[in-house]
Amino acid sequence: MASMSAVVVVVLCAFAMHAGFLVTNAQLSPTFYNETCPTLSDIVFNVISNASLTDPRIGASLIRLHFHDCFVQGCDGSVLLNNTDSIQSEQDAAPNLNSLRGLDVVNNIKTAVEDSCPETVSCADILAIAAEVGSVLGGGPSWDVPLGRRDSLNASQALANQNLPAPFFTVDQLIASFAAQGLNTTDLVTLSGAHTFGRARCSLFLNRLYSFNDTGNPDPTLNTTYLETLRGICPENATVDNITNLDLSTPDEFDNKYYSNLQELNGLLQSDQELFSTTGADTVDLVNSFSSDQSAFFANFVVSMIKMGNISVLTGTDGEIRTQCNFVNGNSSPTLAAVVSKDPKVNLVAQSK
């Protein structure tokens, strides 16, 4: 009974930390497909579980894919759309280029779902469920995913370049980026904790190792022992093939070690370490709290993921239910330029973070 009371307190505190966020979008519901596609959750879980047997990074990649979808015109599956005569794919935006992973897994999920429940489940909802499964498979929290999103009819490469936070952002820039999506500082620190697993390319943090802000010296907020380790992995001429773990402690587990890494100046990305090393920032106390209390981190992660999953969703008769996640219905022909330019990228996308 005492342990149950502690869980209740943690959950209530999590809601309080999110400035009164207590409800989801009224048109989304975890039971949305109970009648029309009752096996949906099992289908998604099984496909991702099978993929994880050969790709331990897939859970982290799917959470990132959902994040990169929601921050660009809302959680509408727009990140999945390929180039066509009328669409410039968000996959070619600078923050996504050659780094989005899990697109093939999402397509495999969609194929299996269409076989069982044709023209029923949106790709946007598949992304939301896949993110939750990614957390669970990594040992992180589970939650009832609100469902009922519909898919966009377009994408916005321009918004992807504008809205997605960069790995060199300061705390103020990160707070502004999240605030533009209706997310607060608690959401920022909580969702950044998804970097507790997965990988990153050396190009995202190379400047921290050799010439931070063009000073000719490494980032002073980087642990010197970790610096030497990273220099061994990422020489100055590192290519896209050079990658390393986001979390040096437990790289394939969803836990709270990300926050203790920041306390020890072992954050990989500048945007991560800024959360702890920025003097006077509100983020510092949150990092300390989550480092000492994994249950608090997990409870807040659930709240923040649901909150993020509500960003500018399409419901009712807006948008559509795509039958193929990469194309709007009735337009599955890529442009000639896309065919020529994207073929070599397909393998790169599959290999990157």
Side-chain angles (χ1 to χ4, degrees):
M1 180 64 72
S3 60
M4 179 61 72
S5 298
V7 171
V8 171
V9 169
V10 167
V11 172
L12 290 176
C13 288
F15 281 120
M17 293 171 73
H18 290 262
F21 170 71
L22 294 172
V23 295
T24 66
N25 184 294
Q27 296 186 62
L28 300 185
S29 169
T31 64
F32 188 83
Y33 296 110
N34 278 12
E35 299 297 326
T36 56
C37 194
T39 59
L40 174 60
S41 294
D42 290 337
I43 293 171
V44 177
F45 183 89
N46 289 337
V47 172
I48 299 174
S49 180
N50 287 335
S52 71
L53 297 177
T54 55
D55 183 4
R57 301 160 55 191
I58 192 60
S61 298
L62 291 170
I63 291 176
R64 181 174 186 258
L65 197 55
H66 182 44
F67 178 95
H68 280 227
D69 183 40
C70 292
F71 264 57
V72 181
Q73 70 180 32
C75 308
D76 59 2
S78 61
V79 71
L80 303 174
L81 290 173
N82 288 352
N83 284 313
T84 67
D85 289 333
S86 59
I87 290 175
Q88 282 190 303
S89 177
E90 293 169 18
Q91 297 166 32
D92 288 337
N96 294 331
L97 188 62
N98 297 338
S99 70
L100 289 180
R101 301 182 73 253
L103 298 170
D104 53 341
V105 173
V106 172
N107 286 338
N108 290 341
I109 295 170
K110 182 62 172 173
T111 297
V113 169
E114 286 296 309
D115 286 344
S116 181
C117 319
E119 301 180 9
T120 300
V121 179
S122 70
C123 300
D125 275 344
I126 287 174
L127 285 177
I129 301 170
E132 188 268 346
V133 172
S135 169
V136 171
L137 289 177
S142 64
W143 60 93
D144 293 329
V145 180
L147 301 168
R149 301 167 189 80
R150 288 169 65 85
D151 297 320
S152 70
L153 302 175
N154 52 37
S156 179
Q157 189 176 122
L159 283 180
N161 282 317
Q162 173 183 308
N163 290 0
L164 291 169
F168 50 79
F169 269 11
T170 65
V171 162
D172 287 343
Q173 290 173 311
L174 289 167
I175 290 173
S177 177
F178 275 66
Q181 304 299 328
L183 302 174
N184 60 28
T185 301
T186 301
D187 299 312
L188 162 62
V189 178
T190 302
L191 293 173
S192 295
H195 286 173
T196 187
F197 62 172
R199 314 286 187 269
R201 292 175 294 165
C202 291
S203 58
L204 298 181
F205 56 88
L206 202 64
N207 69 313
R208 299 188 72 205
L209 310 185
Y210 299 100
S211 184
F212 184 62
N213 291 339
D214 296 321
T215 61
N217 297 307
D219 186 343
T221 67
L222 186 58
N223 182 298
T224 54
T225 301
Y226 191 33
L227 169 64
E228 293 309 313
T229 298
L230 291 175
R231 281 179 167 177
I233 299 168
C234 303
E236 288 189 80
N237 61 347
T239 70
V240 293
D241 294 324
N242 293 85
I243 61 173
T244 192
N245 300 321
L246 281 162
D247 180 342
L248 81 165
S249 302
T250 52
D252 294 322
E253 296 178 27
F254 194 104
D255 54 27
N256 67 335
K257 294 297 190 294
Y258 165 84
Y259 300 103
S260 56
N261 288 337
L262 300 185
Q263 292 174 320
E264 297 165 4
L265 305 186
N266 286 330
L268 183 65
L269 305 180
Q270 177 186 344
S271 56
D272 289 328
Q273 193 58 55
E274 291 273 345
L275 300 179
F276 180 76
S277 295
T278 302
T279 303
D282 293 340
T283 56
V284 176
D285 285 344
L286 289 164
V287 170
N288 290 333
S289 174
F290 293 158
S291 174
S292 64
D293 190 344
Q294 181 166 280
S295 295
F297 165 47
F298 280 13
N300 277 275
F301 191 77
V302 168
V303 175
S304 289
M305 285 295 288
I306 293 174
K307 189 175 177 181
M308 183 184 75
N310 285 324
I311 297 174
S312 300
V313 295
L314 301 174
T315 59
T317 58
D318 293 335
E320 66 178 10
I321 303 298
R322 290 186 214 137
T323 55
Q324 292 180 279
C325 288
N326 300 132
F327 301 98
V328 298
N329 294 339
N331 186 1
S332 59
S333 300
T335 62
L336 178 60
V339 171
V340 172
S341 66
K342 287 189 72 65
D343 274 356
K345 289 179 184 175
V346 171
N347 290 332
L348 288 174
V349 168
Q351 296 166 4
S352 302
K353 173 180 174 294

